Amino acid sequence: GQVASASGSPDAQAELLEKLRGRQAEFSSQVASMAKEKACLEQQLERQSDEAHSALKAYLGNLQCQAVSAATQELVELRKRHADYSSQCASMADTVAELEARKDRLQLEISELKKKDGNDDEQQAKQLVALQDRLEECGNELDSTSRLEADLQKQRDDTRTRVSELENHLRETSSAGIVPRESSEQKVGASA
């Protein structure tokens, strides 16, 4: 009923139209303001997302560099250990050769003593027992040293395998663009 009565008077219609236009302008202004705020928030969100992505990428890159640096340091230490094992193996091989030569000499002495025709059989028997005891001791020492040599060779070979694995890992990592922060000591150690 009110709308019908308001629609009847031209002044009332003009006033209502003016109010409606005012409300429309107000809404349009609010919509424009919200659109600007939305665009601003979207830009802020995009900027924050980019910053977070960059920070995460830097963090992951730093972690990878730390891992590569740790692997590089381990590689340097393993190379030193491998060199030590190789040196010890060479020394053990010399010891084994010396023990084998001593064993051969003792066996030769025993053979010669057995062939010898002597007047003093009791003295020869004592010499023979003493030589056989020395031969047994030499054989035991040779066995023990051979086992030690084998253990050292295994440690050397295991170390060499680990060195190869780390070298491959570091090669793959470097081809992926991750470069370790090496100290000059690590670089010198790596070339040794």
Side-chain angles (χ1 to χ4, degrees):
Q2 229 180 357
V3 174
S5 67
S7 62
S9 146
D11 289 338
Q13 281 182 351
E15 189 180 317
L16 183 60
L17 191 57
E18 191 59 34
K19 280 183 182 180
L20 288 174
R21 283 187 182 140
R23 296 281 308 245
Q24 182 182 10
E26 196 178 305
F27 286 141
S28 292
S29 173
Q30 286 178 351
V31 166
S33 174
M34 286 179 178
K36 284 181 187 176
E37 189 176 341
K38 178 185 174 200
C40 182
L41 287 172
E42 284 174 344
Q43 286 178 344
Q44 187 178 1
L45 181 63
E46 188 175 333
R47 187 176 58 252
Q48 287 174 345
S49 175
D50 288 347
E51 288 171 1
H53 180 74
S54 293
L56 180 60
K57 192 173 178 181
Y59 175 74
L60 291 175
N62 190 33
L63 283 180
Q64 287 174 322
C65 281
Q66 287 174 4
V68 168
S69 292
T72 302
Q73 182 61 39
E74 183 183 355
L75 182 60
V76 168
E77 291 168 11
L78 283 170
R79 284 179 176 151
K80 287 177 186 174
R81 199 177 314 154
H82 181 261
D84 289 345
Y85 285 145
S86 294
S87 173
Q88 290 174 2
C89 284
S91 176
M92 279 292 182
D94 291 345
T95 303
V96 166
E98 289 170 14
L99 286 169
E100 286 173 342
R102 188 181 336 154
K103 185 177 175 183
D104 290 344
R105 281 193 308 273
L106 286 169
Q107 287 172 331
L108 184 62
E109 283 182 50
I110 289 171
S111 294
E112 287 177 4
L113 187 61
K114 286 180 178 178
K115 289 179 189 176
K116 197 177 193 185
D117 286 332
N119 295 335
D120 193 357
D121 289 339
E122 189 176 322
Q123 186 176 357
Q124 279 183 341
K126 285 181 183 177
Q127 281 182 323
L128 187 59
V129 168
L131 283 173
Q132 287 173 332
D133 287 346
R134 286 177 48 199
L135 179 62
E136 186 177 339
E137 286 174 19
C138 182
N140 290 340
E141 190 177 349
L142 179 59
D143 291 344
S144 173
T145 305
S146 294
R147 281 193 300 276
L148 283 173
E149 181 187 26
D151 288 346
L152 279 172
Q153 287 172 342
K154 183 182 181 330
Q155 289 174 328
R156 180 197 60 199
D157 294 345
D158 290 349
T159 304
R160 182 67 222 155
T161 299
R162 182 65 181 136
V163 164
S164 294
E165 289 169 355
L166 273 174
E167 286 172 342
N168 289 338
H169 173 70
L170 289 172
R171 234 184 326 277
E172 290 167 7
T173 304
S174 106
S175 68
I178 302 165
V179 180
R181 297 180 187 128
E182 288 186 281
S183 68
S184 58
E185 177 187 329
Q186 289 173 324
K187 288 179 183 173
V188 168
S191 64

